Amino acid sequence: MRLSFDQIREITVGAARVTRRGEDICFYRFTEGQESAYRIASPEDFYFKTFATAGIRLCFQTDSPYVRLRYRMVKASSRTFGWFDVYESGVFVAHFGGDTACPIEAEETIALAQKDKVVEIYFPWSAAGMIREMEVADGAYVKPVRKMRTMLAYGDSITQGYDAVYPSLSYVSRLSDMLEAACINKGIGGEKFFPELLEDAEVCAPDLITVAYGTNDWSKRDSRTYEENCREFLRQLTQRYPDTKIFVITPIWRADHDKQTPFGAPLSQAVSLIDRICGEFPGIQVIHAGTFTPHLGEFYSDNYLHPNDLGFGFYAQNLYKAIKTLLT
């Protein structure tokens, strides 16, 4: 039985919108207005990355013995790989994809063992993943699974998922799983505090928002610009979502934290600046993440900045503990 566009849209989690374009069902994590803001500000880089399907997944209950996907992937980041992960009632059962230097079109059949189970199909964070056809056994049921919370995650490349080999193991994927949250991942590789992003944000009332910028601001901006953009971003965020719990996460450890940058001081001083600005907004809680990942190069894909799958495990677990404490 081939699922309809409406059925696929109903089981989608983590998308701001879902559309059909020709044969492709396309999944977007930014609003059209946000994409337009990036098209104006960074047409060759950040706008291109908005189409990566970071954090998007299909989540449904079914009694089908298999799921068949005909999918397409195109490059949508600085990385030339893209992967899907599949879980059956919490058990990791499939991982497929490949090199996205050229567009990929392929078909995958995932055998499922249990009679009634929850299936979650995680989309690539580094590419634009699209569905052309999705099929289950004739007569099988497909029922959407609703999450306990809703969440928005703003941030840079680390939030987007760089450099998880398995998209389900990025810190945002793991954190949203632990919080039982439907999360829209707004991470963009290389991004800094960008207030214009909030001018056309979702009209919704998420239960929580995480904000994890700052490391690129420190390495690329002077302290005055850093302060102005951080303050304006948080001002707009608190005005747009006055009843939402907002957690600002300070930058994680990086091996070059004391190098010379336009900011003019070590990364610790940028963290202090975030602390001071957040103090101006009573609705914001700061989470200091400098000790959330090991201070050892082998936990990073590039040995100094982007956590690998193992490093993301430490980050997600420590961040979950901090947020869970603040939510109670």
Side-chain angles (χ1 to χ4, degrees):
M1 176 179 70
R2 185 182 299 176
L3 299 190
S4 68
F5 169 78
D6 288 337
Q7 286 176 303
I8 293 172
R9 182 174 55 187
E10 276 295 302
I11 62 175
T12 300
V13 174
R17 67 190 201 278
V18 182
T19 67
R20 183 187 290 280
R21 188 177 63 225
E23 288 188 75
D24 297 324
I25 296 175
C26 305
F27 306 83
Y28 304 91
R29 56 200 176 99
F30 292 91
T31 67
E32 291 180 282
Q34 289 175 325
E35 287 174 7
S36 179
Y38 275 130
R39 188 189 300 116
I40 294 168
S42 180
E44 302 299 324
D45 186 8
F46 293 173
Y47 174 63
F48 167 66
K49 293 172 182 172
T50 66
F51 300 105
T53 44
I56 293 171
R57 67 179 79 174
L58 306 180
C59 185
F60 57 97
Q61 187 174 0
T62 186
D63 58 352
S64 176
Y66 71 89
V67 173
R68 182 173 294 121
L69 289 179
R70 188 161 70 90
Y71 66 93
R72 196 163 75 89
M73 279 197 305
V74 297
K75 188 174 183 287
S77 75
S78 55
R79 303 301 189 253
T80 57
F81 59 85
W83 303 97
F84 289 83
D85 290 344
V86 183
Y87 286 69
E88 179 183 357
S89 295
V91 178
F92 200 166
V93 296
H95 174 72
F96 53 89
D99 186 344
T100 58
C102 296
I104 294 172
E105 183 176 345
E107 184 176 292
E108 194 76 22
T109 299
I110 304 101
L112 303 170
Q114 302 175 50
K115 178 172 175 53
D116 293 291
K117 58 271 181 179
V118 173
V119 177
E120 297 200 70
I121 303 174
Y122 295 74
F123 281 50
W125 63 262
S126 51
M130 293 159 276
I131 300 297
R132 295 203 146 184
E133 290 180 4
M134 181 172 177
E135 179 186 302
V136 297
D138 289 343
Y141 75 88
V142 174
K143 178 183 177 182
V145 174
R146 304 303 178 199
K147 301 292 185 178
M148 188 172 76
R149 296 183 174 93
T150 56
M151 173 180 168
L152 299 177
Y154 288 94
D156 50 36
S157 57
I158 297 170
T159 296
Q160 185 176 338
Y162 287 64
D163 275 319
V165 173
Y166 299 90
S168 61
L169 299 185
S170 73
Y171 93 82
V172 174
S173 291
R174 296 193 207 207
L175 178 65
S176 60
D177 284 339
M178 288 187 278
L179 290 170
E180 297 181 64
C183 178
I184 301 180
N185 186 330
K186 302 287 190 179
I188 289 285
E191 182 58 299
K192 303 168 284 292
F193 286 104
F194 180 46
E196 292 86 347
L197 186 63
L198 297 172
E199 294 175 5
D200 288 290
E202 285 84 351
V203 180
C204 63
D207 296 300
L208 67 141
I209 296 172
T210 59
V211 179
Y213 299 113
T215 198
N216 292 312
D217 300 80
W218 169 75
S219 64
K220 298 175 182 177
R221 283 177 166 167
D222 62 78
S223 59
R224 180 178 178 180
T225 304
Y226 191 136
E227 180 172 356
E228 290 174 351
N229 282 277
C230 176
R231 179 178 289 109
E232 181 59 18
F233 185 92
L234 297 180
R235 184 191 69 78
Q236 289 197 36
L237 191 69
T238 53
Q239 284 189 350
R240 182 169 284 272
Y241 303 106
D243 301 318
T244 296
K245 292 183 182 296
I246 299 173
F247 303 100
V248 172
I249 306 161
T250 63
I252 63 172
W253 176 85
R254 52 186 294 167
D256 60 350
H257 59 89
D258 56 354
K259 72 176 183 178
Q260 285 292 109
T261 75
F263 186 82
L267 182 61
S268 59
Q269 294 303 304
V271 171
S272 297
L273 180 57
I274 291 174
D275 266 337
R276 179 166 61 81
I277 296 169
C278 287
E280 301 171 13
F281 302 93
I284 289 177
Q285 293 174 294
V286 181
I287 296 175
H288 292 95
T291 60
F292 284 5
T293 54
H295 295 185
L296 298 168
E298 54 264 41
F299 290 87
Y300 302 81
S301 65
D302 48 16
N303 294 314
Y304 84 103
L305 177 61
H306 295 104
N308 54 27
D309 293 350
L310 187 58
F312 270 139
F314 283 89
Y315 189 11
Q317 189 62 43
N318 286 316
L319 185 54
Y320 169 71
K321 289 177 183 176
I323 289 177
K324 193 67 175 175
T325 299
L326 294 170
L327 284 175
T328 56

